[in-house]
Amino acid sequence: MTLKPLSSAILLLMFALPMHGQNQILPLWPDQVPNERKSKLTEESEITDTKRIRQVRNPSIEVYLPTKSSATGKAVLICPGGGYGILAYDKEGTDFAKWLNGYGIAGIVLKYRLPEDDSNITPHLSPIMDAKQGMKLIRQNATKWNIDTDQVGVMGFSAGGHLAATLGTHYDEETRPDFMALIYPVITMKTDYTHMGSRTNLLGENPTPALIAEYSSELQVTADTPPTFIVHSQNDEAVPIENSLQMYKALRTHQVPTEMHLYPSGGHGYGFALNQPHLSSWSQRLADWLMLR
């Protein structure tokens, strides 16, 4: 099926318009949340340059569906970034879910638990538990949401890119993404190129070598890792470009189909990069790639 992308102006207008009847929020764990301990922490959110969510206590998916007539059967589980300390929920979440709808793709934003010590029994397990559960819920609701169960991918930004890559390398039969898009992702947990804030938040101050290796996605790639799309900027001072370069090398070694776009500038955390003309076309490259899945 050939899709005609909407113009940038129309897509931007979509972000400003209410999405009546287009989105719903489902709890990931309607009954007991696994790996949870009693805590006095309460979920917090504030709006600055984006909606920032902290101390997630009610993990969920927020589902944005295209109209039935334009649905392609594809869906993307979106993991916002934030260094495993917050979720940049709009800028790297709901904005992209709405954008995907313009291409006939379901956009499903994952509000995953952050690995703080107070409310998690084993902190590093909660984000990947929530990501796997998100994939299960999408496939369980596939018929109702006009989604093909073999067309469900994952997309993540920064630390959310690390979570997406972890899902793409630590899946089981029910939770394997069919493709993944990693946008300025944290990949390695090794000290040479990791983002130390993300590593400390996820693994603690003194993780074991085994835990570092387990959560270094470049070390976990196999021939069964899903086809991958990667974007990164050379002058990213928060998450060095070597994260993506090492992931690309591992994917290429295992002959996993991969498309990577590297930009000389752009920094980190730019989302759509609408104020950086040389960079803003990256999302169109992603749309083109998704059409071929």
Side-chain angles (χ1 to χ4, degrees):
M1 179 178 180
T2 301
L3 302 176
K4 293 182 179 179
L6 299 177
S7 70
S8 297
I10 295 175
L11 290 172
L12 289 173
L13 181 60
M14 286 173 57
F15 299 153
L17 295 176
M19 301 293 289
H20 298 302
Q22 294 293 313
N23 68 301
Q24 57 181 306
I25 297 176
L26 298 178
L28 285 178
W29 310 99
D31 300 317
Q32 180 63 40
V33 178
N35 197 45
E36 183 181 53
R37 73 168 84 206
K38 290 184 179 180
S39 170
K40 294 183 179 180
L41 292 181
T42 57
E43 187 168 309
E44 300 177 356
S45 66
E46 63 175 339
I47 297 176
T48 54
D49 58 327
T50 183
K51 182 178 181 181
R52 297 169 180 262
I53 300 178
R54 294 179 171 84
Q55 302 170 181
V56 173
R57 300 308 310 276
N58 300 297
S60 63
I61 51 173
E62 184 165 356
V63 182
Y64 289 82
L65 301 176
T67 60
K68 186 174 182 179
S69 62
S70 64
T72 63
K74 294 182 174 67
V76 178
L77 180 68
I78 305 170
C79 304
Y84 284 119
I86 65 160
L87 301 181
Y89 195 74
D90 289 351
K91 184 179 180 181
E92 297 174 347
T94 55
D95 281 358
F96 280 88
K98 299 170 190 177
W99 172 79
L100 286 167
N101 284 178
Y103 292 90
I105 301 169
I108 298 162
V109 184
L110 180 68
K111 188 178 76 170
Y112 57 92
R113 284 173 290 165
L114 299 164
E116 34 74 17
D117 293 330
D118 287 349
S119 65
N120 297 287
I121 296 172
T122 305
H124 67 83
L125 293 180
S126 289
I128 188 61
M129 281 182 173
D130 290 351
K132 287 182 176 181
Q133 181 67 3
M135 292 296 288
K136 289 180 182 179
L137 287 179
I138 294 170
R139 290 192 168 115
Q140 288 170 7
N141 288 278
T143 300
K144 180 169 61 176
W145 294 344
N146 301 305
I147 293 168
D148 295 333
T149 56
D150 61 354
Q151 288 286 292
V152 182
V154 66
M155 176 182 186
F157 300 77
S158 192
H162 181 266
L163 180 56
T166 303
L167 180 63
T169 53
H170 291 73
Y171 54 81
D172 51 43
E173 185 176 354
E174 291 183 284
T175 64
R176 180 185 183 274
D178 295 297
F179 52 86
M180 58 182 178
L182 310 177
I183 315 304
Y184 39 85
V186 178
I187 294 294
T188 190
M189 290 287 108
K190 294 185 293 184
T191 54
D192 51 358
Y193 295 120
T194 193
H195 176 252
M196 286 303 297
S198 295
R199 175 177 132 151
T200 300
N201 285 337
L202 182 64
L203 303 183
E205 292 286 351
N206 297 295
T208 65
L211 200 58
I212 291 169
E214 181 181 358
Y215 282 89
S216 292
S217 294
E218 79 279 11
L219 302 179
Q220 305 299 325
V221 172
T222 71
D224 293 325
T225 299
T228 302
F229 179 95
I230 302 173
V231 171
H232 219 122
S233 297
Q234 185 176 339
N235 70 339
D236 190 332
E237 295 183 359
V239 178
I241 196 172
E242 282 78 8
N243 281 266
S244 288
L245 295 176
Q246 289 183 1
M247 188 64 171
Y248 178 80
K249 182 178 180 181
L251 292 162
R252 186 169 180 267
T253 296
H254 291 279
Q255 299 183 328
V256 176
T258 304
E259 180 172 325
M260 182 166 67
H261 294 270
L262 305 179
Y263 293 85
S265 62
H268 188 76
Y270 40 76
F272 279 102
L274 296 179
N275 62 343
Q276 301 186 66
H278 75 287
L279 182 58
S280 61
S281 63
W282 80 260
S283 58
Q284 185 59 57
R285 305 289 76 76
L286 174 60
D288 294 342
W289 183 81
L290 288 170
M291 290 180 204
L292 299 176
R293 294 304 96 212

